[in-house]
Amino acid sequence: MAATPLSEIRNYTMNFGPQHPAAHGVLRLVLEMDGEVIQKADPHIGLLHRGTEKLAESKPFNQSIGYMDRLDYVSMMCNEHAYVLAIERLLGIEPPERAKYIRVMFDEITRILNHLMWLGSHGLDIGAMTVFLLCFKQREELMDVYEAVSGTRMHATYYRPGGVHRDLPDAMPKYQASRWRSEKAVARLNEARSGGMLDFIQAFTAVFPAAIDDYETLLTDNRIWKQRTVNIGVVPPERAMQLGFSGPMLRGSGVAWDLRKKQPYEVYERMDFDVPVGVNGDCYDRYLVRVEEMRQANRIVRQCVDWLRAHPGPVMVDDRKACPPRRERMKDDMEALIHHFKFFTEGYEVPEGETYAAVEAPKGEFGIYLISDGANKPYRLKCRAPGFAHLAALEEMCRGHMLADVVAVIGSQDIVFGEIDR
Amino acid sequence: MSELNEALALKVDARLGGSVRRRPALARELAYDTDAGSLLEVCRTLRDAPELAFEMLMDLAGADYLHYGREEWQTTDATRSGFSRGRIAEGGAPDPNAPGRFAVVYQLLSISHNQRLRLAVRCEDSAEPVVDSVVDVWASANWFEREAFDLFGILFRGHPDLRRLLTDYGFIGHPFRKDFPLIGNVEVQYDPDRQRVVYQPVSITPRVLVPKVIRHDHRYEPALKDPQVPR
């Protein structure tokens, strides 16, 4: 039998997704393969495009806060934060001190939530099942905090222009005994929930570093984990800047850039924390950066808890144009009732102008570019999603790697399609 | 932050005085306009001049100024005939081909100097808006420009791969233009006879539930905010 002529060997085109558990959502990736080596990767996105920016143009400013939660649905409050910051800058209002601390605390809780989700699913993608279960155990506690403060586990709509919706609750919801849970088991579960929310969060921050140690025991020196991540998807720092990377992706490549330090918003300049930076810019370094970020976030949360305990006060700005009247006043004041109605139906007018407000979201720089023409609705809203720039670089990061490494790269980019497709 | 911005503004003026114009921005921000003709040159200078060093393009946004400053629902004539139920006002629509309708806005970031700058460029021709692609200056512009092309129909001259990004395969129109209805033109439905998903015209009419009100609210006037300014 004659040898196969070379011309007959050709590249395969392969479809990855749109429904693939390792694609972290709906990503259709058209891969051109030479054997098992990636030659070209063309991500097709937009399967989750909901036109958030267009929808926001037809609604009063406050009614779009809920849409922001649904952009990056793993780091909900950070998205809200950028949006309300943009509105506040245009309105020229400043939230009270306590609201700023509450926001910083919830930003960091959100960062822990996001990184736990990322660590769990990234581990699951490349073969570490146990971490997933451990991460979700801790994540559940923080979800309860979200629920206690806003009423929902995920899509909180808690930040408002001028502050936050309401002050922290004095009590945490408790487990109740049932056919499946005895009184004794419930009492043990409720131990940390006997006090207020700040007590609960403080108890969490006390045990959380040990939990991170557990994850690290399972992964950091794990031979399989290192084989899957070290030297995979290397991005040099100059290239990372060219590609518009931000957050852990940029820091993983060795660029010490963190908006919380460099362009502090709210009260971050008063917080004591460190910014971890990677060296090689591979998937493993990005993993290390994110794990350390969880520890630092835990530190910031603890500082906020201490401050919030000592400083009660208002959580909403005293500006009747930007926030609704108090509920007690509405009961016996006709004008307050009218104001309440007008505020929630027609909204408020934001002076003409434009602004770009960016926050250090868990995935990177989440920015809101807002143009107002002086109306009660945004004229144009543009969400700068960190994952968008990261995914755009997927081809460059994957070229020359094996098919299985695509999963590791997607995982280390921390892709969420809610924010990429918007 | 604002003193820093003034220092930066001096540097920008020294380098690019002739080709950029300062535009009004909030105190902590710095924004410039430029012409489509000199865009590439301005971008290269902003990136390469050592005292500016904007190594990163953080965001690129298209914008459509067709309805800028226009109310959607006239509330002044609330007669006994009632409101129009919030249909989008018909008649008197602005000319979609008037020049300067589309703009592209770049958010630049300099990591080495810790400074930001916003650069905006208006497309001269509104029927076929074209600007130069900045992919060669900042690689991150690639997808951002594809997105602006998809949603606004702005063409980027010299872009290596200008395809649609977010909308469906075979989508017609540019959905973020102001004259594109919010509910779209077509809807999809599963057709059991043909055993596939089919497109058909949308069956509901567009409505505006919240009027777009532009009030001339004097409380934002600087004279009222700043006690130093005589009234």
Side-chain angles (χ1 to χ4, degrees):
Chain A
M1 207 172 100
T4 318
L6 264 174
S7 60
E8 274 187 26
I9 301 172
R10 58 191 171 84
N11 289 346
Y12 275 97
T13 304
M14 208 183 86
N15 244 327
F16 180 97
Q19 294 293 340
H20 190 285
H24 289 213
V26 275
L27 166 68
R28 182 178 167 214
L29 198 55
V30 181
L31 299 167
E32 207 180 296
M33 319 272 301
D34 176 14
E36 212 185 326
V37 178
I38 314 267
Q39 299 291 325
K40 248 175 95 178
D42 183 18
H44 288 209
I45 63 166
L47 290 112
L48 201 61
H49 178 60
R50 295 146 296 178
T52 304
E53 295 159 1
K54 177 111 178 161
L55 282 169
E57 287 171 13
S58 66
K59 289 183 171 49
F61 282 89
N62 269 18
Q63 291 185 19
S64 300
I65 301 174
Y67 283 125
M68 297 298 129
D69 292 312
R70 288 151 180 83
L71 288 175
D72 180 355
Y73 44 77
V74 189
S75 44
M76 295 69 77
M77 287 202 197
C78 290
N79 308 341
E80 290 173 25
H81 200 162
Y83 181 62
V84 300
L85 267 184
I87 299 173
E88 281 168 3
R89 284 183 190 165
L90 282 175
L91 282 173
I93 56 175
E94 184 109 338
E97 199 86 322
R98 187 173 166 85
K100 290 184 178 180
Y101 273 91
I102 292 179
R103 282 184 185 177
V104 167
M105 183 173 84
F106 272 99
D107 272 15
E108 296 309 314
I109 287 179
T110 308
R111 196 178 311 279
I112 297 175
L113 274 176
N114 177 81
H115 285 0
L116 283 176
M117 177 78 199
W118 161 80
L119 184 62
S121 54
H122 186 36
L124 195 62
D125 284 349
I126 51 182
M129 177 87 196
T130 320
V131 196
F132 182 77
L133 301 171
L134 286 179
C135 286
F136 270 66
K137 187 164 165 275
Q138 301 295 333
R139 202 165 179 265
E140 195 56 31
E141 309 252 296
L142 292 179
M143 283 290 177
D144 285 348
V145 174
Y146 254 57
E147 186 173 356
V149 83
S150 71
T152 52
R153 283 163 50 85
M154 289 180 77
H155 303 301
T157 326
Y158 178 55
Y159 295 1
R160 303 286 160 94
V164 293
H165 171 54
R166 60 172 193 171
D167 208 343
L168 305 173
D170 296 327
M172 285 292 289
K174 293 182 182 59
Y175 287 104
Q176 305 210 319
S178 65
R179 276 167 64 192
W180 301 277
R181 268 203 184 112
S182 65
E183 291 282 353
K184 212 172 130 193
V186 165
R188 201 175 59 241
L189 281 170
N190 283 339
E191 210 170 303
R193 292 160 189 266
S194 52
M197 173 183 270
L198 287 174
D199 300 312
F200 182 74
I201 295 175
Q202 192 165 38
F204 175 85
T205 57
V207 296
F208 187 55
I212 303 177
D213 291 341
D214 283 350
Y215 315 144
E216 286 217 77
T217 316
L218 287 167
L219 296 178
T220 304
D221 291 323
N222 185 322
R223 202 166 63 215
I224 304 171
W225 182 258
K226 284 180 108 166
Q227 278 171 356
R228 290 299 307 270
T229 54
V230 174
N231 281 332
I232 301 295
V234 178
V235 186
E238 300 77 31
R239 203 57 204 153
M241 288 198 260
Q242 259 288 310
L243 291 165
F245 279 15
S246 52
M249 295 290 287
L250 188 60
R251 291 193 283 276
S253 294
V255 183
W257 179 259
D258 190 320
L259 289 180
R260 295 174 294 168
K261 284 274 188 209
K262 302 284 179 173
Q263 299 175 358
Y265 47 97
E266 307 298 5
V267 289
Y268 273 116
E269 71 271 13
R270 288 179 225 165
M271 295 294 154
D272 178 26
F273 65 102
D274 301 319
V275 176
V277 175
V279 179
N280 302 316
D282 56 4
C283 290
Y284 186 67
D285 277 17
R286 292 191 277 272
Y287 153 76
L288 291 178
V289 165
R290 289 202 175 94
V291 168
E292 185 55 32
E293 270 183 21
M294 283 201 277
R295 292 187 198 276
Q296 298 301 329
N298 196 55
R299 264 173 82 188
I300 299 176
V301 170
R302 205 176 303 164
Q303 291 167 48
C304 288
V305 168
D306 291 343
W307 191 94
L308 286 167
R309 267 189 211 288
H311 299 81
V315 293
M316 198 67 176
V317 71
D318 190 26
D319 181 336
R320 288 288 156 264
K321 281 279 185 187
C323 71
R326 294 188 61 79
R327 192 143 284 265
E328 303 91 81
R329 274 202 64 210
M330 278 167 53
K331 303 292 179 193
D332 53 5
D333 184 358
M334 190 64 201
E335 273 70 35
L337 198 60
I338 295 170
H339 176 203
H340 182 270
F341 178 75
K342 293 276 275 182
F343 183 83
F344 281 105
T345 53
E346 192 185 283
Y348 46 85
E349 285 81 32
V350 169
E352 191 176 348
E354 52 176 40
T355 188
Y356 178 77
V359 298
E360 184 74 29
K363 293 181 171 62
E365 174 175 323
F366 186 90
I368 294 284
Y369 175 51
L370 188 63
I371 305 178
S372 167
D373 59 349
N376 58 343
K377 306 174 190 176
Y379 185 76
R380 166 93 170 104
L381 175 74
K382 170 82 198 326
C383 311
R384 191 268 172 204
F388 188 81
H390 299 158
L391 189 66
L394 184 73
E395 173 166 25
E396 202 175 313
M397 290 170 73
C398 286
R399 206 179 295 136
H401 280 309
M402 300 288 204
L403 175 62
D405 297 331
V406 175
V407 174
V409 170
I410 292 178
S412 95
Q413 284 186 344
D414 200 2
I415 294 295
V416 162
F417 275 89
E419 62 163 7
I420 290 170
D421 292 347
R422 281 158 289 152
Chain B
M1 202 73 184
S2 58
E3 306 85 58
L4 275 175
N5 276 338
E6 288 313 312
L8 174 60
L10 289 177
K11 289 179 198 159
V12 174
D13 288 339
R15 278 271 178 187
L16 295 161
S19 40
V20 295
R21 292 171 304 279
R22 186 99 179 252
R23 62 191 299 199
L26 298 182
R28 61 170 73 208
E29 297 179 8
L30 189 62
Y32 282 93
D33 273 324
T34 187
D35 298 319
S38 48
L39 174 71
L40 268 182
E41 185 203 321
V42 167
C43 287
R44 285 230 166 79
T45 314
L46 284 172
R47 186 193 63 178
D48 294 334
E51 76 274 20
L52 304 173
F54 287 99
E55 319 80 353
M56 287 182 81
L57 171 74
M58 291 318 283
D59 188 26
L60 185 154
D64 174 5
Y65 281 93
L66 185 65
H67 292 161
Y68 191 81
R70 291 172 69 96
E71 285 142 314
E72 271 167 350
W73 189 0
Q74 300 293 336
T75 49
T76 45
D77 297 329
T79 61
R80 68 185 75 98
S81 62
F83 295 120
S84 65
R85 294 307 308 143
R87 295 289 173 89
I88 290 170
E90 284 158 29
D95 176 17
N97 289 328
R101 175 182 167 189
F102 293 102
V104 182
V105 186
Y106 305 83
Q107 315 281 351
L108 308 181
L109 170 70
S110 165
I111 284 195
S112 38
H113 298 311
N114 190 12
Q115 58 200 14
R116 282 181 191 274
L117 186 143
R118 177 162 57 241
L119 185 70
V121 57
R122 289 263 181 155
C123 310
E124 282 144 21
D125 185 3
S126 293
E128 199 179 88
V130 184
V131 289
D132 286 323
S133 167
V134 295
V135 172
D136 292 337
V137 188
W138 295 288
S140 56
N142 189 333
W143 273 28
F144 285 125
E145 286 181 351
R146 276 178 71 184
E147 183 195 324
F149 160 69
D150 186 0
L151 302 178
F152 289 96
I154 300 169
L155 300 165
F156 291 89
R157 197 185 292 121
H159 189 285
D161 181 23
L162 200 62
R163 283 178 293 152
R164 284 188 177 272
L165 185 65
L166 291 174
T167 50
D168 199 0
Y169 305 112
F171 189 88
I172 298 167
H174 300 289
F176 278 25
R177 289 187 170 188
K178 288 283 177 177
D179 47 9
F180 192 94
L182 181 65
I183 56 161
N185 290 320
V186 286
E187 60 189 24
V188 288
Q189 185 186 328
Y190 180 72
D191 187 336
D193 297 334
R194 280 184 277 180
Q195 296 207 321
R196 64 182 177 89
V197 174
V198 291
Y199 285 86
Q200 57 195 41
V202 279
S203 48
I204 44 173
T205 46
R207 274 177 61 187
V208 180
L209 296 178
V210 182
K212 179 167 176 173
V213 187
I214 299 178
R215 286 214 185 82
H216 299 288
D217 194 341
H218 297 293
R219 76 193 180 111
Y220 298 115
E221 280 175 11
L224 287 175
K225 277 198 153 174
D226 187 2
Q228 304 296 323
V229 179
R231 302 240 167 115

